[in-house]
RNA sequence: GGUUCCUUCGUCUAACGGUUAGGACGGGAGAUUCUCAGUCUCUAAAUAGGGGUUCGAUUCCCCUAGGAACUACCA
């Protein structure tokens, strides 16, 4: 049997970590099983829908390099893959259930439903949900409502007796008493749009989905979906409920935990490799040892059996570590292209050659691509350090610092102009430090602060190379006269 | 409240019922280099609690505790 899975997001928000993780698991399961990955847009919530979110969905998947075998834009044999373009299908199937006595029209107003809900809350009733008022309407009552022009919804007749069980590959059997299943949920809304439950079941069946991999938050509606499959007389697919991604406090990951949309991470300068690798590792492991996986690796070795049961906490620190790792893996040329837009948006301009040597110097110091801005700002803005004590290294003093800067810069600059090797210059500066009876850093620090306007910087030789000799000399001269001031 | 699910270092996780319970991030210590990073070495850190089953339980069963999700004409 062919292995067919789908990712079926609702464009009611930007793609977030949880959603993307579901997409990734589906995609990798499809690839490693030689199956198909289908993308389906569940845009039945017209209130929250926005094309910006739909664009974000396509952009995010494209950025990650996740392509779909069937779906919007690309097409396929089971299209259309956008639910708002399939309305007649759902309406037809909903009517079919009504005709067969498995569903019914409901004319209750939102106000009445609200009232029912309020009463249940007040009476602290065990029973929650719709009171099935319209389930037993007579033909006359129905005709009367129709005459009033009330647009009905269609609700499923959920059995009140018995229980429903479904099997989940990672969770095992999950059983729920029918009386505890959502009481007669809406299948078709009064605006003619289907609800998630109807559209989902109908499409999964029509599109030949064999495995449903979705977040564990859907477990409670599992039995309901089984009941729907039974009502239609269809064979349900295999279920696989994925553990959820949580924030530090153990609650469902949300904005208050920090960035959660992939767009945010992309903007900050996280690489797609990072997102793919780390996100897959929340709730999945190959053998517990290996942790570095490329997309291509996962397309081969991802196994559904290795998915964990328990929810996992999203660790921003570990994400940073992965990002730093993948940045270090880039060639200088690749990294130069990646940092370019960040410099540009900071108003920093650099030619290709400079970008490459900047990438080289900064590579090991970056956690995100946006770090390049603070790392390189000394090249583009000149804000001298105005606190003399910051020029003084540990174990040195004002006087020694000044002479270290004067004599050190002389050695430094003349050697550089003679084109001497870095090691030789370092040696010469080491000599000077011995003579002044301070540590090497007592010589390097004043130079560093003078040249890079900061105590923390890229390596000095790299900094000078990037800055240029003229500017370097100017800044040193300025620092010397600043330190000479009383 | 009701229903369902979950439980190994702080976090992500590994361990056909038999291991000194392993790895990674983060933490701590040290080495290296001009600072910061990076790299290398070392280190602390866990089977939620209680009962069973078994020669032997992280692993199987039960109870307790804790946590989570769901409970819409949202998905």
């Amino acid at each position: 049997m062919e292995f067919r899975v789908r990712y079926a997001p609702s464009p009611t928000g930007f793609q977030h970590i949880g959603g993307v993780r579901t997409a990734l698991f589906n995609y990798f399961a499809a690839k490693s099983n030689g199956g198909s990955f289908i993308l389906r847009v569940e845009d039945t919530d017209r209130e929250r829908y926005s094309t910006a979110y739909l664009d974000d969905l396509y952009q995010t998947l494209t950025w990650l390099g996740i392509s779909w075998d069937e779906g919007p834009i690309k097409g396929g044999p089971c299209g259309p893959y956008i639910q708002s373009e399939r309305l007649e299908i759902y309406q037809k199937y909903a009517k079919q259930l009504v005709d067969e006595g498995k569903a019914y029209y409901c004319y209750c107003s939102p106000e009445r439903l609200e009232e029912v809900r309020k009463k249940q809350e007040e009476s602290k009733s065990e029973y929650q949900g719709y009171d099935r008022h319209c389930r037993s309407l007579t033909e006359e009552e129905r005709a009367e409502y129709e005459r009033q022009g009330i647009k009905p919804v269609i609700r499923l007749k959920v059995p009140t007796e018995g229980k429903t069980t479904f099997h989940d590959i990672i969770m095992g059997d999950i059983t729920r008493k029918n009386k505890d299943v959502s009481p007669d949920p809406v299948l078709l809304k009064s605006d003619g749009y289907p609800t998630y439950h109807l559209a989902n079941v109908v499409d999964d069946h029509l599109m030949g989905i064999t495995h449903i991999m979705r977040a564990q938050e859907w477990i409670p509606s599992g039995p309901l979906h089984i009941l729907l499959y039974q009502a239609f007389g269809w064979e349900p697919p295999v279920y696989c409920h994925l553990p959820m991604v949580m924030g530090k406090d153990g609650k469902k990951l949300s904005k208050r935990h920090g960035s959660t949309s992939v767009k945010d991470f992309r903007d900050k300068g996280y690489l797609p490799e990072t997102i793919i690798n780390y996100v897959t590792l929340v709730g999945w492991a190959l053998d517990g040892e290996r942790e570095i996986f490329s997309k291509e690796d996962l397309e081969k070795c991802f196994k559904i059996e290795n998915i964990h049961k328990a929810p996992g906490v999203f660790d921003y620190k570990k994400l940073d570590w992965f990002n730093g790792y993948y940045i270090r893996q880039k060639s200088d040329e690749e990294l130069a292209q990646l940092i370019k837009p960040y410099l540009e948006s900071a108003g920093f301009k650099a030619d290709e050659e400079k970008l490459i040597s900047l990438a080289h110097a900064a590579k090991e110091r970056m956690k995100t691509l946006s770090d390049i801005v603070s790392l390189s700002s000394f090249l583009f803005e000149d804000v001298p350090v105005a606190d003399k004590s910051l020029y003084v290294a540990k174990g040195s003093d004002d006087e020694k610092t000044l002479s270290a800067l004067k004599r050190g810069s002389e050695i430094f600059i003349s050697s550089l102009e003679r084109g001497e090797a870095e090691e030789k210059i370092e040696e010469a500066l080491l000599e000077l430090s011995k003579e002044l009876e301070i540590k090497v850093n007592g010589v390097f620090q004043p130079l560093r602060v003078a040249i890079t306007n900061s105590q923390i910087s890229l390596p000095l030789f790299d900094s000078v190379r990037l800055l240029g000799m003229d500017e370097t000399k100017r800044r040193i001269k300025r620092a010397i006269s600043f330190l000479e001031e009383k």
Side-chain angles (χ1 to χ4, degrees), chain A residues 169-240:
Chain A
I169 313 185
I170 51 189
M171 243 24 124
D173 282 341
I174 294 173
T175 301
R176 207 165 166 185
K177 293 193 192 88
N178 289 151
K179 72 175 177 61
D180 293 326
V181 172
S182 175
D184 297 2
V186 171
L187 261 23
L188 200 69
K189 306 178 207 173
S190 54
D191 63 2
Y193 276 78
T195 59
Y196 169 76
H197 304 294
L198 206 224
N200 197 259
V201 165
V202 167
D203 283 348
D204 284 337
H205 174 74
L206 261 26
M207 295 180 182
I209 301 302
T210 59
H211 293 68
I212 294 187
M213 299 174 70
R214 48 148 57 153
Q216 280 175 1
E217 58 184 323
W218 293 107
I219 287 180
S221 47
L224 169 62
H225 295 174
I226 295 294
L227 254 15
L228 258 175
Y229 279 101
Q230 287 171 355
F232 283 118
W234 297 335
E235 189 65 29
V238 176
Y239 283 90
C240 177

Side-chain angles (χ1 to χ4, degrees), chain A residues 350-412:
Chain A
D351 58 32
E352 293 298 310
E353 199 186 333
K354 199 169 191 178
L355 278 175
I356 291 171
S357 65
L358 179 56
H360 176 79
K363 194 189 278 183
E364 289 180 346
R365 273 154 261 261
M366 298 167 66
K367 279 203 172 73
T368 65
L369 296 175
S370 59
D371 287 344
I372 196 63
V373 174
S374 59
L375 248 18
S376 66
S377 63
F378 76 99
L379 293 173
F380 307 101
E381 326 173 297
D382 184 20
V383 187
V385 170
D387 180 346
K388 287 186 184 173
S389 70
L390 295 180
Y391 289 77
V392 184
K394 214 179 266 179
S396 183
D397 57 36
D398 290 2
E399 200 185 322
K400 286 179 179 175
T401 297
L402 181 57
S403 51
L405 180 57
K406 276 180 168 169
R407 295 178 54 190
S409 62
E410 238 164 75
I411 300 172
F412 189 67

Side-chain angles (χ1 to χ4, degrees), chain A residues 391-446:
Chain A
Y391 289 77
V392 184
K394 214 179 266 179
S396 183
D397 57 36
D398 290 2
E399 200 185 322
K400 286 179 179 175
T401 297
L402 181 57
S403 51
L405 180 57
K406 276 180 168 169
R407 295 178 54 190
S409 62
E410 238 164 75
I411 300 172
F412 189 67
I413 287 175
S414 60
S415 319
L416 276 177
E417 286 183 331
R418 264 181 277 126
E420 272 181 37
E422 290 178 11
E423 302 81 65
K424 281 197 79 177
I425 305 176
E426 277 180 41
E427 243 170 70
L429 294 176
L430 181 63
E431 280 305 309
L432 176 64
S433 73
K434 280 182 185 155
E435 195 190 317
L436 292 170
E437 294 178 309
I438 52 177
K439 290 187 185 164
V440 227
N441 198 36
V443 177
F444 272 95
Q445 181 156 327

Side-chain angles (χ1 to χ4, degrees), chain A residues 26 52 77 113 135 140 145 194 223-224 241 247 289 295 297 339 344 370 377 396 435 454:
Chain A
N26 274 284
L113 295 177
R135 183 160 171 164
E140 293 74 48
Y145 283 128
L224 169 62
H241 285 93
E289 298 283 323
K295 181 166 78 79
D297 293 334
I339 57 178
E344 276 169 4
S370 59
S377 63
S396 183
E435 195 190 317
S454 168

Side-chain angles (χ1 to χ4, degrees), chain A residues 114-126:
Chain A
E114 183 53 40
E115 207 172 298
V116 169
R117 210 171 348 234
K118 212 181 273 174
K119 262 187 205 150
Q120 285 170 348
E121 232 165 82
E122 279 166 13
S123 66
K124 282 183 183 147
S125 149
E126 231 182 70

